Amino acid sequence: MTRTLIAGNWKMNGLKASLGEIRDAAAGVGQGKAGVEALLCVPATLVSLAAEATHGSALKVGGETCHGAESGAHTGDISAEMLADAGASHVIVGHSERRTDHGETNEIVAGQAAAALRAGLTPIICIGESLDQRKAGETLEFVSSQIAGSIPEGAKAEEIVIAYEPIWAIGTGEVASPEQIDEVHTAIRSRLAERFGADGAGLIPLLYGGSMKPGNAAEILEVTDVNGGLIGGASLKAADFLAIYGQAK
């Protein structure tokens, strides 16, 4: 059975003063519920503090990116090993904002995901099309190419998570329709089955990201092959994050 994951992505938000929200989220998650995992991915400056704040609860802490190398002359970067050492269990790789702002290619993302696995972290590998690609009818072809290029060789199905985030819906208030989500998630599962077999593909949580909020989460989470969400702004407030977590099955 595919596990469900509700993951927050704080992006470049959060100071020490924000730890209260993390503690509230941890208290709300408590010991968790069967089959549903809860995760907050926070800026690197907060990973260690967040891990302390969530200790004893089922709420996990993750990073928002990592470098492919274990160490070295990479000023300003953070390795997967550093995140694990700080208390992270997961890391987001390949988010469209990283692909766009930092020129991260599928090859780079695959290297980051491999680094996460090397360090014992679960990589959340992000894929998704632009509005122009959707209008041109290129969504499935583009997403399939990202899957093929961003999952590292040797990765096992039970070790990874895939997040589909249509770029045109990230932080815009726009949300893909249930029909659009269903079409893409079905195609993703099919591509994964070609690589990992049907049983293996069924072990990989497929998250939807793109303006998921308490008010639309239930409808999205009911879509076949949606196994959770990668949530941006709505994860910054414990009440909103917990409202979405509470709707997950």
Side-chain angles (χ1 to χ4, degrees):
M1 182 176 179
T2 311
R3 64 191 188 279
T4 298
L5 174 62
I6 301 299
N9 175 17
W10 276 27
K11 306 189 180 185
M12 197 172 72
N13 297 289
L15 302 172
K16 287 182 181 179
S18 307
L19 288 171
E21 294 293 339
I22 296 175
R23 293 190 187 96
D24 288 346
V29 169
Q31 298 306 303
K33 55 182 179 178
V36 182
E37 296 179 310
L39 168 72
L40 285 180
C41 294
V42 298
T45 54
L46 291 180
V47 171
S48 180
L49 294 171
E52 293 176 7
T54 60
H55 182 71
S57 78
L59 180 61
K60 298 179 180 180
V61 173
E64 296 179 2
T65 188
C66 68
H67 195 280
E70 183 175 354
S71 61
H74 305 288
T75 301
D77 280 309
I78 186 166
S79 71
E81 282 78 7
M82 290 173 176
L83 290 174
D85 186 58
S89 60
H90 294 65
V91 62
I92 299 168
V93 297
H95 193 281
S96 64
E97 291 161 1
R98 297 289 308 180
R99 291 178 185 262
T100 300
D101 295 348
H102 299 274
E104 293 181 353
T105 62
N106 289 338
E107 182 179 12
I108 290 172
V109 173
Q112 293 169 329
L117 295 172
R118 180 188 68 219
L121 301 178
T122 298
I124 300 174
I125 303 169
C126 298
I127 58 176
E129 83 284 6
S130 68
L131 183 58
D132 287 343
Q133 288 166 328
R134 173 158 286 277
K135 288 182 176 179
E138 299 170 351
T139 295
L140 300 185
E141 179 182 358
F142 182 73
V143 166
S144 294
S145 70
Q146 286 188 309
I147 292 171
S150 299
I151 299 176
E153 291 297 325
K156 298 177 182 178
E158 62 269 24
E159 297 176 326
I160 65 174
V161 175
I162 301 293
Y164 167 58
E165 294 197 307
I167 297 172
W168 48 272
I170 299 175
T172 64
E174 296 291 332
V175 183
S177 69
E179 293 75 19
Q180 290 171 322
I181 297 171
D182 180 60
E183 178 188 36
V184 178
H185 277 238
T186 297
I188 292 172
R189 190 75 73 191
S190 178
R191 297 292 84 75
L192 293 173
E194 292 173 359
R195 178 159 179 175
F196 296 101
D199 290 342
L203 297 174
I204 302 173
L206 303 186
L207 312 185
Y208 173 77
S211 299
M212 182 183 281
K213 302 173 182 177
N216 61 29
E219 181 180 35
I220 295 171
L221 292 170
E222 285 294 332
V223 176
T224 301
D225 277 324
V226 171
N227 311 118
L230 182 57
I231 304 150
S235 69
L236 291 169
K237 295 294 184 183
D240 289 342
F241 178 77
L242 291 170
I244 296 173
Y245 173 74
Q247 297 176 66
K249 302 175 183 177

